Amino acid sequence: NVETDLRSEFEAQGINQTLHRIYLQVKCEVSILTPFKDITKDITNQVLIMENIFGISFQRATGIDGQET
């Protein structure tokens, strides 16, 4: 049995910039069979799929990059 869920997280990264992360959370039930005992465990793991910083950069805001603001 496997369950998945997408998680999104936003975090401030300085002036006018935001870090956006998207995670895939995977939860599965694992059965371990031994001669003397059967063991069942739930395992949950989170995998980073995407990370991006967006917003206006200092260079763009001040015109240092040569583009109009």
Side-chain angles (χ1 to χ4, degrees):
N1 186 15
V2 176
E3 296 175 21
T4 59
D5 189 23
L6 285 174
R7 302 284 176 155
S8 185
E9 172 182 289
F10 292 91
E11 182 178 318
Q13 286 293 302
I15 299 172
N16 296 328
Q17 293 185 341
T18 303
L19 174 64
H20 181 211
R21 291 183 178 127
I22 297 177
Y23 296 96
L24 177 66
Q25 185 170 354
V26 181
K27 181 180 178 181
C28 63
E29 184 178 286
V30 178
S31 296
I32 303 167
L33 307 175
T34 67
F36 305 106
K37 188 175 183 181
D38 294 342
I39 303 168
T40 302
K41 293 284 183 179
D42 287 328
I43 298 175
T44 303
N45 199 1
Q46 190 167 278
V47 180
L48 179 64
I49 296 175
M50 192 273 307
E51 184 175 63
N52 186 32
I53 295 179
F54 61 91
I56 187 168
S57 68
F58 175 76
Q59 289 82 6
R60 183 78 185 249
T62 59
I64 293 174
D65 64 353
Q67 296 182 8
E68 301 257 342
T69 54

